[in-house]
């Protein structure tokens, strides 16, 4: 089965073709970073309009580069939510209409489930069950995953998401958007022990809070000046945030008794987070899994793959188009006939 995946929930137009026999056949991505850069964050209306402009040229490019004909597409998966309403509508309407024209099934996919399953596309895929640390620009969640659609929320951020904290601190430091990669780059030159920033809620369950850390960095920025200090602040901030993510992940593994941790979402591309998890999990005989960097941030491949997991069991959506800007992942259910699902058709 060849599934076309469409991701348009935020500021990336991502399209990909996933072939259940051979894996990824091709992917294209257009990032709107430059469009939003002067505003220091994503402007929803500009995002929607740009997705509309890019979807047709991108699908033509994808078909051409992968050598797949439109008639060979067996199903279409698009991001249904969570995300920006207007942006979601563009991909959902495009995907649903194209599926109608081709007389093929279509399905709306949960964006965070897409992120969480992306590591399954890697050379060393994790098996269920596992704990998932989902860290993106909008979400920070620890989830126990027992199978497709069988998720239990263990903890989440009560204020800013991890990626959002990176983005806000970068903005305070006048670094380019998105903030994660900018901070990580600056942090490489800095001393992570220079400032002892708070690790909020470290000893309270599995929820997260990053707004106090952000305020603390803001206060420190007002006090100190100079390039070296900026690098030290970036390194110390990254360390505080990573330290919190690592300790809570370890706690979640202990609490559930699971030995596999999957990290996903934009922040899972962070090298320091990966290093720290590799080291700490090794000590407890557990293993960390992640996707290649291009599949950590938003992309069409994760949507095609997550869509396939449900389509293969016969699940599909009707002709009406539904977008769900707010959509808790725990509302998902397992595909109806998962056990009987055949690999191919
Ligand atoms: O998953 P994603 O692409 O989009 C959402 O679904 O939100 O995540 C984007 C977030 C941004 O906040 C960005 O700053 C962060 O991921 N990010 C990183 C890195 N790369 C992207 N954060 C830390 N280190 C990175 N290397
Ligand atoms: Zn995302």
């Amino acid at each position: 089965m060849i599934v076309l995946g469409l991701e348009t929930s935020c500021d990336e137009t991502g399209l990909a073709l996933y072939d259940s026999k051979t894996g990824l056949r091709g992917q294209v991505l257009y990032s709107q970073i430059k469009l939003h850069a002067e505003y220091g964050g994503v402007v929803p209306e500009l995002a929607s309009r740009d997705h509309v402009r890019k979807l047709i040229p991108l699908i033509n490019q994808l078909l051409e580069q992968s050598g797949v004909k439109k008639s060979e597409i067996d199903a279409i998966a698009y991001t249904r939510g969570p995300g920006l309403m207007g942006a979601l509508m563009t991909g959902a309407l495009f995907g649903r209409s194209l599926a109608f024209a081709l007389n093929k099934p279509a399905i709306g996919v949960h964006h965070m489930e897409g992120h969480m399953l992306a590591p399954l596309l890697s050379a060393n895929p994790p098996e269920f069950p596992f704990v998932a640390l989902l860290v993106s620009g909008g979400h920070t969640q620890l989830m126990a995953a027992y199978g497709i659609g069988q998720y239990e929320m263990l903890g989440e951020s009560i204020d800013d998401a991890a990626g959002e904290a990176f983005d806000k601190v970068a903005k305070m430091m006048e670094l380019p958007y998105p903030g994660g990669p900018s901070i990580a780059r600056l942090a490489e030159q800095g001393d992570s022990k220079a400032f002892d920033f708070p690790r909020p809620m470290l000893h309270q369950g599995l929820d997260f809070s990053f707004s106090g850390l952000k305020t603390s960095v803001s206060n420190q920025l007002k006090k100190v000046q100079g390039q070296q200090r900026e690098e030290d602040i970036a390194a110390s901030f990254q360390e505080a945030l990573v330290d919190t993510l690592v300790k809570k992940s370890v706690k979640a593994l202990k609490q559930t008794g699971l030995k596999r941790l999957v990290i996903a979402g934009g922040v899972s591309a962070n090298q320091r987070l990966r290093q720290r998890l590799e080291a700490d999990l090794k000590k407890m005989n557990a293993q960390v899994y992640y996707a290649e960097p291009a599949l950590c941030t938003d992309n069409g491949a994760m949507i095609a793959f997550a869509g396939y997991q449900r389509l293969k069991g016969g699940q599909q959506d009707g002709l009406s188009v539904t977008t769900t800007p707010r959509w808790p992942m725990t509302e998902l259910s397992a595909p109806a006939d998962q056990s009987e699902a055949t690999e191919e058709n």
Side-chain angles (χ1 to χ4, degrees):
M1 188 195 282
I2 297 182
V3 182
L4 167 68
L6 304 168
E7 158 58 33
T8 65
S9 68
C10 191
D11 59 345
E12 251 107 28
T13 321
L15 289 80
L17 288 163
Y18 174 74
D19 184 331
S20 58
K21 284 197 186 109
T22 58
L24 278 180
R25 292 284 289 271
Q27 49 175 326
V28 289
L29 184 83
Y30 177 80
S31 171
Q32 303 177 350
I33 284 176
K34 283 205 195 97
L35 177 71
H36 304 289
E38 64 173 296
Y39 306 99
V42 179
V43 183
E45 185 55 25
L46 294 182
S48 317
R49 291 180 197 193
D50 211 43
H51 287 308
V52 170
R53 273 192 290 269
K54 297 296 174 343
L55 277 163
I56 289 176
L58 283 172
I59 193 168
N60 289 334
Q61 192 185 327
L62 175 67
L63 293 170
E64 193 177 280
Q65 86 172 37
S66 59
V68 173
K69 292 194 229 40
K70 220 182 272 173
S71 58
E72 291 178 276
I73 297 173
D74 295 303
I76 297 177
Y78 56 83
T79 305
R80 172 176 149 187
L84 303 169
M85 173 63 113
L88 289 167
M89 288 296 283
T90 65
L93 285 166
F94 180 84
R96 181 58 268 184
S97 311
L98 182 59
F100 180 69
L102 297 173
N103 197 21
K104 295 288 157 68
I107 193 157
V109 169
H110 194 290
H111 180 81
M112 296 311 293
E113 183 178 53
H115 273 303
M116 195 188 79
L117 299 179
L120 270 70
L121 284 165
S122 65
N124 174 29
E127 278 174 25
F128 288 107
F130 52 74
V131 169
L133 172 68
L134 305 176
V135 272
S136 69
H139 294 82
T140 301
Q141 296 174 330
L142 272 166
M143 198 83 74
Y146 299 101
I148 304 285
Q150 294 171 267
Y151 311 130
E152 181 194 338
M153 179 81 81
L154 302 171
E156 63 184 324
S157 178
I158 59 166
D159 42 54
D160 293 348
E164 194 178 356
F166 268 108
D167 295 338
K168 286 182 177 169
V169 167
K171 198 171 178 180
M172 293 191 284
M173 298 176 80
E174 293 170 19
L175 297 170
Y177 178 86
S182 305
I183 300 252
R185 223 170 296 125
L186 197 62
E188 279 171 25
Q189 321 296 325
D191 173 7
S192 63
K193 295 197 180 70
F195 300 96
D196 189 17
F197 289 129
R199 275 81 165 145
M201 297 179 69
L202 201 55
H203 304 290
Q204 295 158 43
L206 293 173
D207 284 339
F208 303 86
S209 164
F210 294 117
S211 75
L213 168 60
K214 191 184 62 190
T215 308
S216 181
V217 174
S218 163
N219 292 339
Q220 202 55 249
L221 279 168
K222 286 175 198 140
K223 280 190 226 154
V224 298
Q225 272 169 353
Q227 181 64 18
Q228 185 56 44
R229 300 306 265 173
E230 293 248 319
E231 289 163 357
D232 289 348
I233 286 179
S236 303
F237 158 72
Q238 176 177 261
E239 200 62 25
L241 196 141
V242 164
D243 197 35
T244 309
L245 294 177
V246 171
K247 294 209 164 108
K248 297 264 178 182
S249 300
V250 166
K251 203 187 246 186
L253 288 169
K254 287 188 177 152
Q255 188 177 305
T256 55
L258 297 172
K259 290 286 183 191
R260 286 181 283 263
L261 178 76
V262 168
I263 57 171
V267 182
S268 71
N270 187 275
Q271 289 301 329
R272 184 66 187 147
L273 175 64
R274 291 175 174 204
Q275 275 170 9
R276 284 281 320 270
L277 283 171
E278 300 269 4
D280 285 30
L281 264 56
K282 207 170 175 183
K283 287 184 220 150
M284 57 188 292
N285 207 14
Q287 207 179 334
V288 58
Y289 298 84
Y290 38 75
E292 59 177 90
L295 297 187
C296 289
T297 45
D298 291 349
N299 64 85
M302 68 184 198
I303 301 304
F305 183 71
Y308 168 69
Q309 299 306 319
R310 294 174 177 280
L311 289 157
K312 71 178 178 184
Q315 194 177 329
Q316 58 171 286
D317 290 347
L319 283 179
S320 62
V321 175
T322 311
T323 52
T324 313
R326 289 181 183 277
W327 190 9
M329 213 170 127
T330 44
E331 282 180 10
L332 296 176
S333 49
D337 47 357
Q338 199 174 29
S339 54
E340 296 156 37
T342 50
E343 262 299 297
E344 307 302 334
N345 72 13

